[in-house]
């Protein structure tokens, strides 16, 4: 397939590939066109690191901060450049160019993450070029690229600590003419969990495509995922964390996820300099969270309400999402204004639906049904128009102008009281980017753009149906950087600023659940990202990166509940995140040691340093962990691999949720092998 920002000069000679929308594209040329910071984890990078999840893989990317929850990345919490990682709400996550979050304009919360086992590579894009996608590109865009079907059959098996075991199957075929390809990827896994929070997960992907003549290609992908995790929002008290960090404080709580999706891609090379790409997508996600109701939380631990018929003891907060849309992009290379131009024009239609129900039981501690006590439905419709033009001013200087217009309507209805309401917003987001190839070894890039994140429906429209007249969260983003290659060195350094003009905060003094909210609050993020790679020769290589965010603060007098937090640091915005990896490849063997460091973090707007009795507040100390991985290719058919994460068994706090301490995953190991028929 032609890269998203370029074209193949030989339309009739290339083999059939599956069309998909690429955020960055393949090769150094595609990366050099981006007027912003770019990172890419290749197939070889993923094979070497053997990450536990897509979230785990992203720890190696500059600018990324990850907040662990259940240890396997099933419920992803990914932040970027000082933005809170809670449910990955401040960035756009895609799979093959299609949104992953179940409700972009309802609540951009990630209750599901695609499995790393199905991924070919990962693209991360920041800067003005992200306007081609949306919404919620404040932090950046992450695009997971799934594996292409290959001819043959490969079986993969893994086993590890905490009862972990996985079985995978990849099978594919190509027609004798070479103009059609298809395959299946299947993964089933289960384990006891790092905190006795066991899980059972299945993931199936069917993917295929074909050429339609010499200039058109069609591909389709269908996926199914289900997972039952014995996890909870209930965390540990400080004494529990000190005595037994592996304890599961809520053994009856379960997080059940079921997702089905379908994507259809079409690519048409109309002329050598004109191409049209279109993707239609649909997904449905069921997210049921069954939680034992808390009676009391003390320093000694959490006690739960009895299931004796007197009160609601088990509550299901069950959500059903449906998402659908179509995204079409026209790429045109042309001569105009006396220079060469590369233009992209597009339109996207998108719809979200949500059924949010609360179901309660008074007698069954393992209930999956009960009395309906809450029933809230939400809808959102959006249309987006976007365009950008890259002006090739000289052989070394190019500038990119972009504009995105996003219009969306949100509706909410209380199905029990029949109260309903709606809200409408339109956002206009311009962007400007520049690249300047100073020399073959160095390229300067810079960009400025306006970014936004839509207000959540539950916030924009009250439960009584009142339009709160909330604007979207907005920021003005600027970055300047340099990247290149010098002999055996590769490098990139970027300075960035995100200046939020608006955050949505509680208006009342209490600021509690259901409080009226208002447009208020400014935040400011400033920092530097750096990444270097050095090839020592004879198989040895070093990769290192660091993200330094000295400024991530509340920047106005009224921020939360009318209390002045001006100047305080934002929650979950570590000042420094750094990674260092050393790898060795020789013949059939390759191995690596990877170190990850996260500096101390605050967890509340008040910047509380002293740990509270219940563990919900207090500074999270800095921590450093090490991973060791290796693999050996015995033959074309057989490969062995293994990894040890948190090699020195570092005990650390990953997060302090509203219900207590969540520890990081203790030392764990996996070994496995694959056999290809």
């Amino acid at each position: 397939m032609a890269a998203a920002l370029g074209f193949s000069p030989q339309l009739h000679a290339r083999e059939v590939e599956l069309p998909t929308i690429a955020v960055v594209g393949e090769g150094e040329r595609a990366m050099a066109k981006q007027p912003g910071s770019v990172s890419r984890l290749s197939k070889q990078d993923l094979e070497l690191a053997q990450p536990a999840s897509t979230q785990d893989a992203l720890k190696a990317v500059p600018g990324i901060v990850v907040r662990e929850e259940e240890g396997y990345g099933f419920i992803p919490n990914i932040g970027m450049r000082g933005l809170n990682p809670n449910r990955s709400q401040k960035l756009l996550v895609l799979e093959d160019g299609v949104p992953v979050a179940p409700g972009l304009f309802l609540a951009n919360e990630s209750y599901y993450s695609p499995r790393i086992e199905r991924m070919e590579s990962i693209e991360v894009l920041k800067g003005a070029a992200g306007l081609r996608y949306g919404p919620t590109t404040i932090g950046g865009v992450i695009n997971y690229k799934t594996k292409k079907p290959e001819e043959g059959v490969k079986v993969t098996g893994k086993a590890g600590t905490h009862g972990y075991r996985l079985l995978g199957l990849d099978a594919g075929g190509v027609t004798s003419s070479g103009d059609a390809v298809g395959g299946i990827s299947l993964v089933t896994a289960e384990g006891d969990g790092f905190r006795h929070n066991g899980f059972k997960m299945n993931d199936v992907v069917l993917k295929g495509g074909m050429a339609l003549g010499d200039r058109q290609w069609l591909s389709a992908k269908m996926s199914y995922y289900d997972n039952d995790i014995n996890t909870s929002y209930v965390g540990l008290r400080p004494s529990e964390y000190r005595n037994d960090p592996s304890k599961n404080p809520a053994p009856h709580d379960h997080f059940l996820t079921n997702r089905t999706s379908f994507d259809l891609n079409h690519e048409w090379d109309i002329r050598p300099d004109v191409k049209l790409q279109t993707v239609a997508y649909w997904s449905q996600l069921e997210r049921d969270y069954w939680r034992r109701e808390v009676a009391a939380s003390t320093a000694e631990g959490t006690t739960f309400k009895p299931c004796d018929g007197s009160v609601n003891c088990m509550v299901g907060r069950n959500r059903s999402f449906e998402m659908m849309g179509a995204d079409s992009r026209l790429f045109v290379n042309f001569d105009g204004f006396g220079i060469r131009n590369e233009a992209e024009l597009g339109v996207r239609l998108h719809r979200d639906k949500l059924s949010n129900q609360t179901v309660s039981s008074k007698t069954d501690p393992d209930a999956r049904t009960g009395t309906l006590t809450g029933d809230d439905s939400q809808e959102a419709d959006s249309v987006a128009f976007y365009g950008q033009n890259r002006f090739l001013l000289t052989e070394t200087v190019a500038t990119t102008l972009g504009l995105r217009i996003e219009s969306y309507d949100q509706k909410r209805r209380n199905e029990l009281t029949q109260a309903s309401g709606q809200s409408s917003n339109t956002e206009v987001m311009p962007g400007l980017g520049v690249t300047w190839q100073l020399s073959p070894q160095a390229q300067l890039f810079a960009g400025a753009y306006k970014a936004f994140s839509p207000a959540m429906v539950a916030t924009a429209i009250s439960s009584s149906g009142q339009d709160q007249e909330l604007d979207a969260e907005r920021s003005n983003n600027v970055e300047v950087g340099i990247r290149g290659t010098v002999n055996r060195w590769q490098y990139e350094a970027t300075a960035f600023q995100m200046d939020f003009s608006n955050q949505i905060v509680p208006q009342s003094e209490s600021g509690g659940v259901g409080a009226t909210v208002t447009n208020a609050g400014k935040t400011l993020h400033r920092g530097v990202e750096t990444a270097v790679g050095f090839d020592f020769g004879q198989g040895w290589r070093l990769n290192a990166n660091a993200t330094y965010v000295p400024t991530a603060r509340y920047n106005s007098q009224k921020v939360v509940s009318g209390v002045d937090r001006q100047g305080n640091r934002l929650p979950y915005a570590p000042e420094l995140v750094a990674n260092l990896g050393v790898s060795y490849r020789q013949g059939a063997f390759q191995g690596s040691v990877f170190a990850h460091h996260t500096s101390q973090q605050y967890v509340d707007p008040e910047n509380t340093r002293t740990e509270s009795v219940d563990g919900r507040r207090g500074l999270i100390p800095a921590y450093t962990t090490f991973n060791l991985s290796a693999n050996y290719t015995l033959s074309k058919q057989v490969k062995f691999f293994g990894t040890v994460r948190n090699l020195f068994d570092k005990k650390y706090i990953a997060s302090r949720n509203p219900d207590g301490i969540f520890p990081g995953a203790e030392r764990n190991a996996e070994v496995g092998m694959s056999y290809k028929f």
Side-chain angles (χ1 to χ4, degrees):
M1 183 198 69
L5 297 179
F7 300 92
S8 171
Q10 298 178 335
L11 297 177
H12 300 279
R14 70 182 188 181
E15 296 181 0
V16 63
E17 295 187 20
L18 303 184
T20 185
I21 293 178
V23 170
V24 176
E26 299 296 332
E28 294 183 4
R29 181 171 177 267
M31 296 181 70
K33 289 183 177 183
Q34 308 300 331
S37 175
V38 179
S39 299
R40 184 164 53 200
L41 298 175
S42 67
K43 178 181 179 180
Q44 292 73 26
D45 293 331
L46 298 178
E47 287 180 347
L48 181 63
Q50 300 177 49
S53 62
T54 50
Q55 174 176 284
D56 192 30
L58 286 166
K59 288 181 179 180
V61 174
I64 295 284
V65 60
V66 166
R67 198 178 88 191
E68 295 180 22
E69 189 163 324
E70 85 303 314
Y72 289 98
F74 294 129
I75 309 169
N77 296 285
I78 305 167
M80 198 175 290
R81 294 179 168 177
L83 295 172
N84 196 320
N86 184 48
R87 294 293 182 268
S88 312
Q89 293 184 65
K90 299 301 183 184
L91 47 84
L92 180 65
V93 181
L94 308 173
E95 179 182 286
D96 294 331
V98 172
V100 170
L104 292 182
F105 294 90
L106 302 177
N108 189 46
E109 297 176 309
S110 294
Y111 297 117
Y112 152 83
S113 181
R115 292 308 305 155
I116 189 63
E117 290 82 12
R118 68 160 86 158
M119 297 308 156
E120 179 86 12
S121 61
I122 302 176
E123 302 173 318
V124 180
L125 175 65
K126 306 156 201 162
L131 286 178
R132 296 155 51 217
Y133 310 93
T136 318
T137 57
I138 293 175
V141 183
I142 296 172
N143 186 38
Y144 302 126
K145 300 180 70 174
T146 58
K147 294 185 291 188
K148 302 168 186 175
E150 296 181 355
E151 196 163 14
V153 177
K154 184 173 76 171
V155 178
T156 302
K158 292 183 183 180
T161 51
H162 305 94
Y164 180 79
R165 47 203 179 274
L166 176 146
L167 181 64
L169 171 70
D170 292 282
V174 181
T175 60
S176 57
S177 62
D179 59 2
V181 61
I184 182 173
S185 178
L186 183 151
V187 173
T188 180
E190 59 183 271
D192 301 328
F194 299 113
R195 295 191 298 131
H196 304 287
N197 53 343
F199 69 92
K200 292 184 178 180
M201 184 273 295
N202 298 290
D203 185 70
V204 182
V205 179
L206 296 170
K207 189 175 181 180
M210 61 186 298
L212 304 176
D214 294 329
R215 296 178 181 270
Q216 297 188 63
W217 292 263
L218 186 71
S219 71
K221 183 183 72 180
M222 180 180 293
S223 69
Y224 172 81
Y225 170 92
D226 70 74
N227 198 356
D228 182 347
I229 320 168
N230 180 204
T231 192
S232 173
Y233 294 153
V234 177
L236 300 174
R237 307 302 102 175
S239 60
E240 293 176 311
Y241 170 71
R242 289 191 294 269
N243 296 330
D244 183 11
S246 67
K247 176 183 178 180
N248 184 347
H252 290 285
D253 289 10
H254 281 257
F255 199 94
L256 294 85
T257 311
N258 183 291
R259 185 179 189 265
T260 305
S261 70
F262 180 76
D263 309 337
L264 184 66
N265 278 271
H266 177 260
E267 180 182 321
W268 179 17
D269 287 349
I270 302 172
R271 296 200 309 265
D273 280 336
V274 181
K275 179 179 69 176
L276 180 67
Q277 281 188 313
T278 302
V279 59
Y281 54 89
W282 170 89
S283 69
Q284 185 174 53
L285 183 139
E286 308 284 340
R287 191 234 71 172
D288 293 354
Y289 173 45
W290 287 92
R291 176 174 177 173
R292 186 79 176 265
E293 289 291 86
V294 174
S297 295
T298 65
E300 287 72 35
T302 302
T303 57
F304 300 93
K305 294 181 179 179
C307 287
D308 57 8
S310 60
V311 294
N312 290 328
C313 64
M314 198 70 179
V315 174
R317 294 170 174 84
N318 303 335
R319 300 177 183 177
S320 176
F321 295 86
E322 185 178 29
M323 177 182 68
M324 64 184 71
D327 191 331
S328 190
R329 301 164 183 264
L330 180 67
F331 302 88
V332 182
N333 292 347
F334 66 97
D335 292 321
F337 315 106
I339 57 176
R340 189 66 174 162
N341 295 261
E342 298 174 354
E344 178 181 348
L345 301 172
V347 59
R348 190 196 66 191
L349 304 176
H350 183 91
R351 173 168 235 198
D352 295 323
K353 295 178 67 177
L354 166 63
S355 173
N356 186 9
Q357 297 185 334
T358 304
V359 182
S360 302
S361 173
K362 295 183 178 182
T363 58
D364 187 358
D366 297 307
R368 295 295 179 268
T369 60
T371 303
L372 184 66
T373 57
D375 192 355
D376 183 61
S377 62
Q378 302 174 15
E379 294 183 10
D381 294 283
S382 78
V383 57
F385 301 94
Y386 48 91
Q388 74 169 27
N389 193 84
R390 185 169 182 261
F391 301 89
L392 282 72
L393 303 177
T394 69
E395 291 185 357
T396 58
V397 179
T399 183
T400 302
L401 291 176
L403 179 68
R404 184 180 187 89
I405 301 174
E406 192 104 42
S407 180
Y408 59 99
D409 298 317
Q410 299 170 313
K411 300 178 182 178
R412 184 180 184 186
R413 178 183 177 88
N414 188 319
E415 301 296 341
L416 298 183
T417 65
Q418 304 304 308
S420 63
Q422 63 182 36
S423 177
S424 299
N425 283 284
T426 298
E427 297 293 326
V428 179
M429 294 158 284
L432 170 65
V434 178
T435 59
W436 181 11
Q437 195 69 43
L438 295 174
S439 69
Q441 295 80 29
Q443 183 192 55
L444 283 176
F445 59 89
Y449 69 104
K450 181 180 177 181
F452 95 107
S453 176
M456 295 188 297
V457 171
T459 309
I461 305 170
S462 69
S463 58
S464 63
Q466 181 181 1
D467 183 357
Q468 306 279 54
E469 298 182 354
L470 295 176
D471 293 330
E473 291 185 293
R474 300 188 182 97
S475 71
N476 295 316
N477 294 6
V478 179
E479 65 179 18
V480 179
I482 186 170
R483 58 187 165 219
T485 302
V486 180
N487 298 324
R488 295 182 177 182
W489 288 94
Q490 290 178 314
Y491 66 91
E492 180 173 298
T494 309
F496 59 86
Q497 175 176 291
M498 295 183 291
D499 187 0
F500 278 80
S501 61
N502 173 57
Q503 281 194 351
I504 297 170
V505 301
Q507 183 176 10
S508 66
E509 291 298 321
S510 66
V513 176
T516 304
V517 290
T518 184
N519 296 311
K522 297 180 181 180
T523 64
L524 182 65
H525 305 246
R526 286 176 179 160
V528 178
E529 295 172 359
T530 59
V532 296
F534 181 71
D535 188 349
F536 291 96
Q538 299 189 5
W540 290 96
R541 181 173 177 82
L542 177 145
N543 288 289
N545 63 68
T547 304
Y548 176 57
V549 188
T551 302
R553 67 171 184 254
Y554 291 101
N555 212 33
S556 63
Q557 292 183 341
K558 180 182 178 184
V559 178
V560 178
S561 305
V563 178
D564 185 7
R565 275 104 174 188
Q566 185 173 15
N568 283 7
R569 193 167 183 88
L570 292 161
Y572 292 101
E575 190 170 288
L576 176 66
V577 176
N579 301 289
L580 174 65
V582 177
S583 62
Y584 176 73
R585 301 172 187 260
Q586 190 66 44
F589 174 84
Q590 58 179 349
S592 70
V593 177
F594 176 79
H596 173 81
H597 173 79
T598 299
S599 66
Q600 65 181 22
Q601 306 169 67
Y602 294 108
V603 302
D604 55 29
E606 293 78 19
N607 289 183
T608 305
R609 299 187 65 89
T610 304
E611 186 173 66
S612 60
V613 173
D614 56 15
R616 299 177 183 181
R617 292 175 176 250
L619 195 69
I620 293 180
Y623 60 89
T624 303
T625 59
F626 293 82
N627 294 351
L628 175 67
S629 63
N631 60 68
Y632 182 80
T633 303
L634 183 64
S635 65
K636 292 182 178 180
Q637 289 77 36
V638 181
K639 188 172 187 176
F640 297 96
F641 44 84
T643 184
V644 181
R645 304 185 189 94
N646 195 359
L647 180 64
F648 300 109
D649 202 19
K650 173 67 175 180
K651 182 179 178 180
Y652 64 97
I653 296 174
S655 65
R656 296 183 187 272
N657 276 20
D659 286 320
I661 297 171
F662 275 60
E666 61 189 10
R667 180 170 52 218
N668 60 97
E670 295 170 13
V671 294
M673 67 169 292
S674 63
Y675 185 88
K676 188 170 184 179
F677 297 90

